[in-house]
Amino acid sequence: MHEIRNGWIKLSKEYGYEPATVAIAFAVLPQVVTKLLLGVSTPAEVDRILEQVSTEINPQIWQDAQQRGLIRNDIVLPPVRGPSESFGDSATTIWIWIQIEIWILF
């Protein structure tokens, strides 16, 4: 298990991302994961997650992760776009619905 975790950390850093940013981006890939639940306890954590969610991730990272054995081969990944369809200036939009329920127990 540590080998996989360390592989993700190394790959994330090679691409210049924080591992948590890559994890969140992976969680919202179409057809890979259907739901994402993030727990936060402070306003600073909400800000950090919103920043991570808005980070554009180079789609080649998923192919590299699969080649390194970090993603199973039976997982269908979105195709990597060609140069004319790069994620650079025309980023894919990720919509996230946030529902906050606060329970105060006295």
Side-chain angles (χ1 to χ4, degrees):
M1 194 61 149
H2 291 295
E3 190 175 306
I4 292 173
R5 183 194 69 191
N6 292 339
W8 276 108
I9 291 169
K10 180 179 178 186
L11 182 63
S12 298
K13 290 184 178 185
E14 286 175 14
Y15 276 82
Y17 305 120
E18 290 293 323
T21 302
V22 173
I24 291 170
F26 179 75
V28 295
L29 280 175
Q31 301 177 0
V32 177
V33 176
T34 59
K35 291 184 172 66
L36 174 63
L37 175 63
L38 301 170
V40 297
S41 59
T42 68
E45 289 175 339
V46 172
D47 290 341
R48 190 172 122 228
I49 286 174
L50 291 175
E51 180 181 325
Q52 290 169 328
V53 166
S54 65
T55 300
E56 295 177 36
I57 299 291
N58 181 336
Q60 182 61 46
I61 197 170
W62 314 125
Q63 310 301 324
D64 290 349
Q66 200 164 49
Q67 290 172 353
R68 296 178 189 198
L70 302 173
I71 299 175
R72 293 189 334 243
N73 287 329
D74 63 324
I75 300 293
V76 178
L77 299 172
V80 175
R81 298 173 179 209
S84 63
E85 305 173 279
S86 107
F87 278 79
D89 293 330
S90 57
T92 298
T93 301
I94 298 173
W95 290 94
I96 295 185
W97 293 89
I98 300 173
Q99 178 180 357
I100 300 174
E101 294 181 293
I102 301 173
W103 295 84
I104 300 175
L105 303 174
F106 294 96

